[in-house]
Amino acid sequence: MATPVVRLRTVALDCPDPHALAEFYAGLIGGTIHDDDGDGEWVELLAPGRVRIAFQRAEGHTPPDWPRSDTNGQQFHLDFDGGSTWAEIDAAQERAYALGARPLDVDDDGGKRDWRVYADPAGHPFCFCLVAEPDRV
């Protein structure tokens, strides 16, 4: 294993409303929201497991077009462990919808695919993945 050069600090997402998107992800993964400057331009979510996601105001933000890869491709996406059974994924999906997520590609092809794709309220894609080995982190 190579010696790392740096340690990942934060994943930052551009969006039109940092507080609203921080609330969405706090509802999805837990954690506490911080707006140190109080101006709503840069809001951080400190989630369990030392995960830090920041939300940065971007006026005129254009969400990526799923699943395009040309001029307005997905740019990046977040993968989340959604559960070890499809029933757990279904339950997570319903909770995500209640928080404001929308479906992008939820056809798991009869269980042949182990993920489903959604968009957060700002349009960023994210996936709920089936955990094949729940004890393995």
Side-chain angles (χ1 to χ4, degrees):
M1 181 180 216
T3 302
V5 175
V6 296
R7 183 174 57 113
L8 179 65
R9 177 186 175 121
T10 306
V11 173
L13 305 177
D14 287 354
C15 62
D17 186 342
H19 274 285
L21 202 55
E23 290 286 342
F24 170 80
Y25 280 101
L28 202 64
I29 64 173
T32 56
I33 296 171
H34 300 273
D35 180 358
D36 293 341
D37 294 336
D39 61 7
E41 295 297 312
W42 178 272
V43 177
E44 292 183 346
L45 172 63
L46 302 178
R50 298 178 44 109
V51 172
R52 182 192 319 242
I53 303 175
F55 308 93
Q56 173 176 267
R57 184 176 313 281
E59 297 301 328
H61 169 72
T62 302
D65 290 327
W66 179 267
R68 289 176 47 182
S69 62
D70 54 3
T71 59
N72 193 27
Q74 67 172 316
Q75 301 160 16
F76 78 97
H77 70 271
L78 301 171
D79 283 346
F80 298 103
D81 290 340
S84 59
T85 67
W86 285 113
E88 289 175 345
I89 297 276
D90 289 342
Q93 174 176 288
E94 292 309 311
R95 291 184 65 195
Y97 289 161
L99 291 167
R102 62 183 172 82
L104 290 179
D105 185 357
V106 295
D107 178 8
D108 54 40
D109 197 20
K112 293 179 185 172
R113 257 188 16 198
D114 64 353
W115 73 91
R116 295 179 185 168
V117 186
Y118 311 88
D120 69 23
H124 303 105
F126 66 92
C127 297
F128 284 167
C129 302
L130 188 65
V131 180
E133 300 175 46
D135 295 331
R136 185 174 157 206
V137 178

